[in-house]
Amino acid sequence: MTTDIVLISPHQPKTAKILRTASGITQPLSISYIASFLIKNGYSVKIIDNDIENLTPIDLETRIRQFNPISVGITVSTSSTNTAIEIAKIVKKINGEIKVIAGGIQPTILPHILLKNNEIDICVMGEGEITSLELLRAIKYNRDISEINGIAYKKNGEIKITEPRKLIDNLDELPIPAYELLPMNRYTLPASRRLTSYPIASVITSRGCPYLCKFCSHNTVFKNKVRFRSPENVLEEMKYLRKKFDVREFVFWDDSILLDKNRAIKIFNMIKKELPDIYFTCSSRVDHINEGIAKLMYEAGCRMILFGAESGSQKILDSINKQITVGQTIKAVEICRNNKIMSFCSFIIGTPEETKETLEETRRFVLKLDPDFAIFTIFTPLPGSYYFNRLINNGEIDIGSANWNDYINLLSSSAPAASVNSDLTKEELVYYQKKLFRDFYLRASYILKRIKKIKNKQMFYQTIRGVKAIIKLEANKFYE
């Protein structure tokens, strides 16, 4: 028996080993949405989330053979480009007639990087649900694909790119992601973000972001346009997850859950009324939170908010077009503290305008800010971002020789991907990153505060895992 398509989330490279400890692994929503959309339209689909299963090449080959697919779709981030190509080679080894489709941010921005490999046949550029449906229909019934919007493909050795795919207007029309095809009990968050011992699930209530931060590549797919799911649609998914998989801990992956405050308030009120026994974490811009909405969020089960603080230097915030102030970050953390919500602030160091002086500003700032958790990442020029395009135009990045394994956008165990800062060497950035982690987490006052928050064995073990993550980062020697 054949399967119409197997969708695969590749394992991350070894350079992401620290990232995995620090961020955990949650459900691959992009391919899960595509899977449910294809199933709704009558096609047979399987998912292999090799990011969580971590199958050996031999075991992965065996699994794909068992499914006997006519096509394979691989979601490709920048850092998983090389592992995705390895998977494509395995597929073609099984059967050269299987069509291999690459989708995600990397194929959207740099389709020629994928298509120069003989093992990859087609790239989906942009939002994937409708394009994947049309492609699968064409592949299954041996039809021409040249009129399908939103793809890149090879014809007679030449790469062809079709018209862009329009974004889906009404997200409520999409079915709930195909969670039933995933190993739901295996997903987890890092020690610092676990709220319960129950299964977790990731949910996204909107797509897109209206802001244009120079380091970010998210809008490459969603074109700076924001679309929202209705509160009722969001609650339907959450109640399904609660009933089907006993999920009581949710992660909202929206860029900022509070972009539309009225909609967010309605979601929180519905959670408070209809799912009183769940907890959740989410992300927000520091300029979106206020006392009233934080109070409601806590009552609805919010126990942690992630903020992109980015820097303690206003000069750097302005240079990256973040459109926030350091004062707003201070206020956001204070609001969380007032409402018993943990704050988790992320910082980026080493943007092109960074100096030793601005790094020291950030160090002093985060120690004074004293959020519950902080993470410090070395700037990576991600394809699709303003900085990446500028570096390409200036000849400072050679796409042809780029090692995509090094393009980890959070914590990498390799040296920084590119030298983009004239004032700071790669070695200096690594030194400052470690110093920031040390100075923040190894303070006596911070350690005492964390010990006081340990209420049970679960929290104790979570804390131990968090300590191990810091030790791994500190001891890291980097790959050559």
Side-chain angles (χ1 to χ4, degrees):
M1 185 175 179
T2 61
T3 302
D4 291 323
I5 190 167
V6 174
L7 298 172
I8 302 176
S9 179
H11 58 287
Q12 290 290 326
K14 289 192 293 183
T15 44
K17 65 175 184 177
I18 299 173
L19 172 62
R20 280 291 162 257
T21 303
S23 65
I25 303 176
T26 57
Q27 292 83 0
L29 291 180
S30 58
I31 60 172
S32 301
Y33 265 111
I34 291 171
S36 63
F37 190 74
L38 294 175
I39 291 169
K40 179 183 177 181
N41 283 276
Y43 292 91
S44 56
V45 183
K46 298 291 184 182
I47 292 178
I48 302 174
D49 184 0
N50 210 36
D51 201 18
I52 194 76
E53 295 198 55
N54 200 25
L55 299 172
T56 66
I58 293 174
D59 289 340
L60 181 61
E61 179 181 339
T62 300
R63 182 81 63 84
I64 296 170
R65 285 185 184 277
Q66 288 172 347
F67 292 147
N68 191 23
I70 63 172
S71 62
V72 169
I74 308 172
T75 182
V76 190
S77 65
T78 300
S79 60
S80 69
T81 298
N82 293 341
T83 53
I85 292 168
E86 291 171 10
I87 292 172
K89 290 178 179 178
I90 291 172
V91 173
K92 290 297 188 179
K93 174 187 172 185
I94 294 170
N95 183 349
E97 296 302 310
I98 298 174
K99 293 296 182 183
V100 177
I101 307 163
I105 288 182
Q106 191 79 340
T108 295
I109 303 160
L110 300 172
H112 58 285
I113 293 294
L114 280 303
L115 290 173
K116 73 179 182 180
N117 298 278
N118 293 330
E119 295 82 9
I120 294 178
D121 300 299
I122 306 165
C123 285
V124 172
M125 303 174 66
E127 208 162 48
E129 286 86 358
I130 296 174
T131 305
S132 297
L133 175 61
E134 294 179 4
L135 266 178
L136 188 52
R137 188 179 292 140
I139 291 168
K140 187 169 184 176
Y141 298 105
N142 198 27
R143 297 172 183 169
D144 179 39
I145 65 171
S146 63
E147 298 300 315
I148 297 175
N149 289 343
I151 64 169
Y153 64 100
K154 290 170 288 193
K155 185 175 183 180
N156 300 323
E158 184 181 351
I159 294 176
K160 304 284 187 180
I161 298 178
T162 64
E163 290 294 314
R165 168 73 58 185
K166 291 182 179 179
L167 296 175
I168 297 168
D169 288 325
N170 184 4
L171 296 182
D172 283 5
E173 293 178 352
L174 296 175
I176 289 171
Y179 294 107
E180 70 278 5
L181 300 182
L182 300 172
M184 289 291 288
N185 63 331
R186 297 185 63 178
Y187 296 98
T188 187
L189 288 171
S192 59
R193 292 178 60 190
R194 280 310 312 253
L195 303 174
T196 72
S197 58
Y198 288 96
I200 68 164
S202 51
V203 173
I204 190 160
T205 79
S206 64
R207 292 184 180 182
C209 175
Y211 297 93
L212 294 171
C213 301
K214 291 182 180 180
F215 58 84
C216 186
S217 62
H218 286 189
N219 275 314
T220 302
V221 174
F222 299 133
K223 308 300 181 187
N224 209 224
K225 180 180 179 181
V226 184
R227 292 152 298 148
F228 299 100
R229 295 169 61 190
S230 68
E232 293 78 11
N233 185 256
V234 173
L235 261 291
E236 178 189 355
E237 179 177 347
M238 294 179 71
K239 287 192 287 187
Y240 165 79
L241 288 163
R242 173 67 180 85
K243 182 178 180 180
K244 177 79 172 178
F245 302 104
D246 198 26
V247 171
R248 304 193 198 187
E249 185 172 344
F250 291 84
V251 183
F252 290 115
W253 280 123
D254 304 60
D255 289 313
S256 180
I257 192 73
L258 301 178
L259 268 176
D260 182 336
K261 284 190 177 66
N262 290 332
R263 185 192 74 115
I265 288 170
K266 189 170 182 181
I267 289 173
F268 300 145
N269 276 320
M270 292 176 72
I271 292 173
K272 183 179 172 182
K273 179 181 178 181
E274 300 181 42
L275 291 168
D277 61 346
I278 66 98
Y279 297 95
F280 66 89
T281 66
C282 61
S283 299
S284 173
R285 283 176 58 92
V286 297
D287 54 342
H288 287 174
I289 190 80
N290 60 49
E291 291 282 358
I293 204 163
K295 181 177 183 295
L296 174 60
M297 291 172 76
Y298 180 84
E299 292 171 351
C302 180
R303 293 297 181 267
M304 180 182 289
I305 301 178
L306 284 72
F307 296 110
E310 318 307 1
S311 177
S313 166
Q314 191 61 51
K315 172 188 172 183
I316 297 300
L317 290 175
D318 294 341
S319 71
I320 63 177
N321 197 37
K322 184 67 180 181
Q323 299 182 48
I324 61 171
T325 67
V326 291
Q328 288 171 326
T329 300
I330 293 170
K331 183 65 176 175
V333 171
E334 179 186 339
I335 287 171
C336 284
R337 194 173 290 127
N338 293 343
N339 290 278
K340 297 184 288 187
I341 296 174
M342 290 182 286
S343 56
F344 193 133
C345 292
S346 65
F347 293 85
I348 300 173
I349 66 170
T351 55
E353 297 80 11
E354 190 87 83
T355 64
K356 291 180 181 178
E357 290 73 26
T358 58
L359 276 173
E360 182 58 24
E361 278 188 79
T362 294
R363 191 188 73 84
R364 292 195 303 266
F365 175 76
V366 71
L367 295 178
K368 183 178 179 181
L369 182 68
D370 196 28
D372 291 281
F373 300 96
I375 193 168
F376 308 95
T377 67
I378 297 177
F379 167 71
T380 298
L382 295 174
S385 68
Y386 167 89
Y387 280 131
F388 184 85
N389 294 335
R390 192 178 84 176
L391 292 164
I392 288 290
N393 293 336
N394 292 344
E396 296 177 66
I397 292 179
D398 178 9
I399 294 179
S401 62
N403 181 2
W404 302 114
N405 286 358
D406 293 343
Y407 281 70
I408 306 294
N409 65 336
L410 283 177
L411 291 176
S412 175
S413 61
S414 70
S419 294
V420 299
N421 189 295
S422 58
D423 286 1
L424 296 157
T425 65
K426 291 182 178 182
E427 291 75 18
E428 286 175 322
L429 287 172
V430 171
Y431 166 79
Y432 271 103
Q433 182 190 41
K434 291 184 176 184
K435 180 174 174 56
L436 284 163
F437 272 105
R438 263 198 320 269
D439 289 358
F440 183 80
Y441 282 104
L442 300 184
R443 294 171 292 155
S445 60
Y446 183 83
I447 293 170
L448 182 62
K449 181 171 69 173
R450 297 315 314 163
I451 290 174
K452 287 181 177 179
K453 288 181 178 290
I454 296 175
K455 305 294 184 184
N456 52 47
K457 186 167 66 174
Q458 175 79 8
M459 293 180 70
F460 172 77
Y461 288 125
Q462 289 172 1
T463 302
I464 294 298
R465 288 196 294 271
V467 170
K468 286 181 178 178
I470 300 298
I471 293 172
K472 283 183 181 179
L473 179 76
E474 188 61 29
N476 185 50
K477 301 300 182 184
F478 298 107
Y479 291 102
E480 296 298 328

